[in-house]
Amino acid sequence: GILQHPDGTVLKQLQPPPRGPREQEFYNKVYDSDCCDSILLELREYLPKYFGVWSPPTAPNDTYLKLEDVTRKFNKPCIMDVKIGQKSYDPYASAEKIQQQVSKYPLMEEIGFLVLGMRVYHVSSDSYETQNQHYGRSLTKETVKDGISKFFHSGYCLRKDVVAASIQKVEKILEWFEGQTQLNFYASSLLFVYEGSCQATTVRLSDVTLAEKRRVPKGLLSGGDVLEYNNNIHVINSTENGKIETSVGKGLSKFYALHKKACSKRHHSQLSLKVENSEQDNVWKTSTCITQEHLNGNVLPQLEKVFYHMPAETKESANVEVRMIDFAHVFPSNTKDEGYIYGLKNLITVLQNILDN
């Protein structure tokens, strides 16, 4: 398994030859200080940072890869490991190995990916739900969308912001694969990580982007799209005038400043950010309102004015990491990695379906 080093990195024990040395060689090649290959230099963006190898003083013959802990910056990290590609065996695999791998998940060639496991933090119960590889292998072409959507559910709601940000990250990796013909990857995975707790640091307007993608007319912006995302704000206390004070981070402060600036230009200087607690489902929801008496009125026109005229720089995406991991079966090539590309495209399609539905 993966071990934690006291300095905050993680240690992955080198596998027996030829897999372990092959993975080490891959990292050494990509992270060579003299590397000037633009393809490999860009690839670094999609991998955990590599800090060489490490051996414990008590067992100098045991070798570990020293890697960035992608989950370290998260308070309640939600993690999913998805194996990518139509084949989970490499070109040099024996007939027995091929049969073994195919029998584990016969749908790999058709679906192009396999969920190896996930751990999801549920805000509602303050606990994690864990699924192993047996869960992933139970998913069919018909159930894979619902199976993956579990990873993006907080226990209260579907984290559409995380789905949207994940799609963007995977699309960047797909672009890299479309542009390179020197490496082919087998039995390699994507590691998805996002913050599961309520202690987010910024207000994000990703739902507005979703609404625009769906071509929702400006005047008909649905309450679900704008008001659905919640988990970013902690209520401190209600003040005498009925407004609610909130604990905000730098991102929210920046948003609020831009928000006020944008509104004042349109003679809506009274607009303020407010948090409503829905007693029916106990879900935090964000909304905008002019003053307290407008709470019982139609808030959507005000939302429309603010959200559709916000500066582009405020449309921040959720804090999500998507990194490529597991490189024991990476081989030189002179062609595109069509199997991996197929898997990425199918995964993007599934994520997009989760978002749209």
Side-chain angles (χ1 to χ4, degrees):
I2 298 292
L3 303 177
Q4 186 84 45
H5 191 280
D7 66 6
T9 59
V10 293
L11 303 169
K12 179 182 180 182
Q13 187 162 22
L14 213 62
Q15 300 175 68
R19 291 173 296 166
R22 191 187 293 133
E23 183 165 29
Q24 183 182 351
E25 181 185 356
F26 168 80
Y27 274 113
N28 286 338
K29 182 178 181 179
V30 174
Y31 282 93
D32 189 331
S33 57
D34 296 326
C35 177
C36 55
D37 185 330
S38 60
I39 295 293
L40 298 183
L41 290 175
E42 184 186 346
L43 178 59
R44 292 180 185 179
E45 297 177 29
Y46 313 122
L47 312 182
K49 291 184 179 68
Y50 173 61
F51 302 101
V53 295
W54 179 88
S55 297
T58 54
N61 293 327
D62 290 348
T63 304
Y64 293 82
L65 299 172
K66 202 162 184 283
L67 301 166
E68 172 191 7
D69 180 1
V70 181
T71 71
R72 192 180 185 199
K73 66 180 180 180
F74 297 95
N75 181 37
K76 298 287 187 183
C78 298
I79 306 166
M80 178 170 67
D81 184 334
V82 183
K83 186 184 287 188
I84 305 292
Q86 290 179 283
K87 298 175 180 176
S88 56
Y89 54 88
D90 64 50
Y92 302 97
S94 64
E96 182 183 3
K97 179 70 172 178
I98 293 173
Q99 180 57 39
Q100 178 198 51
Q101 288 298 313
V102 171
S103 64
K104 283 183 177 179
Y105 194 55
L107 292 173
M108 191 76 179
E109 188 165 354
E110 184 180 3
I111 293 178
F113 60 86
L114 167 64
V115 177
L116 293 179
M118 66 174 70
R119 191 182 74 158
V120 189
Y121 177 73
H122 285 173
V123 178
S124 52
S125 59
D126 188 25
S127 64
Y128 280 97
E129 177 186 352
T130 303
Q131 303 288 353
N132 61 21
Q133 56 188 313
H134 299 294
Y135 171 81
R137 288 176 187 155
S138 72
L139 299 178
T140 65
K141 196 173 179 181
E142 292 72 34
T143 63
V144 68
K145 179 174 79 75
D146 291 337
I148 286 184
S149 69
K150 286 175 73 80
F151 175 65
F152 299 103
H153 207 283
S154 70
Y156 280 135
C157 65
L158 184 69
R159 290 289 303 273
K160 290 183 180 181
D161 60 319
V162 176
V163 182
S166 297
I167 291 172
Q168 291 179 349
K169 300 273 187 181
V170 178
E171 283 177 341
K172 290 290 292 180
I173 295 173
L174 175 60
E175 283 179 24
W176 182 85
F177 271 90
E178 292 279 19
Q180 71 91 23
T181 57
Q182 56 179 288
L183 294 171
N184 279 5
F185 295 72
Y186 301 91
S188 183
S189 291
L190 290 184
L191 187 72
F192 291 76
V193 189
Y194 73 89
E195 179 57 66
S197 79
C198 296
Q199 298 175 6
T201 58
T202 180
V203 163
R204 303 174 179 104
L205 306 186
S206 52
D207 278 341
V208 176
T209 305
L210 300 181
E212 289 169 345
K213 282 184 179 178
R214 295 175 191 157
R215 295 184 174 84
V216 177
K218 286 186 180 181
L220 300 177
L221 188 59
S222 69
D225 284 328
V226 175
L227 302 179
E228 174 179 21
Y229 182 61
N230 41 57
N231 303 335
N232 281 337
I233 304 171
H234 287 294
V235 172
I236 297 176
N237 64 310
S238 297
T239 57
E240 289 182 1
N241 62 6
K243 292 187 178 180
I244 298 176
E245 295 181 356
T246 56
S247 170
V248 297
K250 288 184 178 178
L252 181 53
S253 300
K254 178 184 174 185
F255 163 80
Y256 188 47
L258 289 166
H259 166 89
K260 287 177 69 178
K261 185 178 178 182
C263 294
S264 62
K265 287 181 179 179
R266 290 169 180 79
H267 310 291
H268 292 292
S269 57
Q270 289 180 294
L271 277 168
S272 61
L273 188 69
K274 184 175 179 61
V275 181
E276 292 182 312
N277 182 9
S278 169
E279 295 179 356
Q280 292 181 346
D281 55 7
N282 199 27
V283 178
W284 294 113
K285 299 189 177 184
T286 59
S287 69
T288 53
C289 57
I290 294 181
T291 52
Q292 185 67 26
E293 58 266 23
H294 283 78
L295 283 175
N296 296 324
N298 186 359
V299 179
L300 291 183
Q302 306 307 325
L303 283 171
E304 188 271 334
K305 288 188 178 87
V306 175
F307 280 74
Y308 273 95
H309 295 93
M310 287 307 298
E313 63 264 28
T314 65
K315 295 183 180 181
E316 303 175 38
S317 61
N319 190 4
V320 177
E321 293 286 351
V322 179
R323 305 289 185 93
M324 298 169 61
I325 59 171
D326 298 337
F327 306 110
H329 302 276
V330 179
F331 297 91
S333 173
N334 55 11
T335 62
K336 283 187 180 181
D337 191 341
E338 297 295 351
Y340 202 105
I341 289 172
Y342 176 89
L344 289 176
K345 287 182 175 179
N346 265 18
L347 180 57
I348 289 170
T349 298
V350 170
L351 293 174
Q352 193 65 54
N353 286 338
I354 292 171
L355 200 57
D356 293 342
N357 295 335

